[in-house]
Amino acid sequence: MNLTISGHHLEVTPSLRSYVMAKLERILRHFDQVVDVKVLLTVHKQKEKDKRQRAGCTVRVKGQDLFVETQHFDLYAAVDALADKLDRVVMRYKTRLQGPRSGAKRLDSDGMQLAEVSV
């Protein structure tokens, strides 16, 4: 997995980089076919002070790109929300891959094919 962490209008510190990497490890526990991950951390210069910190992530998996973006007052909280959203999106993608239309076959205890599952 290639991981790219970049900042827009902010410097990505080593502590912030390690925090993002620790949060994204959870996704690899659920789904190991991730090809590339790009994280963009930004600070928007808005007049109002609410939700200026944004975190966006593009995950490239086999055949599709998954994109998630969050915003919050605090950048670390935005990264937490990003990890939660990304985890839900990856789990939904994984269940779609393993769904009934994937052509999965049921096997009995001896390894013999019982039936092909299709809807």
Side-chain angles (χ1 to χ4, degrees):
M1 174 185 85
N2 296 328
L3 177 63
T4 306
I5 302 171
S6 58
H8 191 255
H9 296 295
L10 79 123
E11 180 183 345
V12 179
T13 61
S15 63
L16 186 59
R17 182 177 300 276
S18 65
Y19 187 76
V20 170
M21 289 173 64
K23 288 294 180 176
L24 290 179
E25 285 178 5
R26 185 171 67 178
I27 290 137
L28 291 177
R29 268 188 279 149
H30 294 296
F31 190 67
D32 61 347
Q33 298 176 0
V34 176
V35 176
D36 188 30
V37 178
K38 294 181 182 177
V39 179
L40 179 64
L41 306 172
T42 62
V43 176
H44 285 276
K45 307 290 185 188
Q46 297 174 347
K47 291 185 180 180
E48 66 261 3
K49 298 294 181 187
D50 56 342
K51 296 188 179 181
R52 294 175 13 152
Q53 317 286 330
R54 294 186 184 194
C57 184
T58 303
V59 177
R60 183 175 300 247
V61 292
K62 184 178 178 183
Q64 192 171 0
D65 290 345
L66 307 173
F67 179 74
V68 176
E69 186 176 33
T70 60
Q71 52 189 357
H72 203 272
F73 302 109
D74 182 28
L75 190 58
Y76 286 93
V79 171
D80 286 340
L82 178 81
D84 292 339
K85 274 187 172 182
L86 193 58
D87 192 34
R88 287 192 302 267
V89 169
V90 166
M91 291 298 288
R92 184 172 48 216
Y93 177 75
K94 183 178 175 182
T95 56
R96 285 181 185 166
L97 283 180
Q98 297 174 346
R101 295 182 187 200
S102 66
K105 298 179 182 178
R106 290 181 40 197
L107 300 175
D108 64 356
S109 61
D110 297 329
M112 301 295 293
Q113 179 180 344
L114 290 177
E116 187 170 320
V117 180
S118 62
V119 176

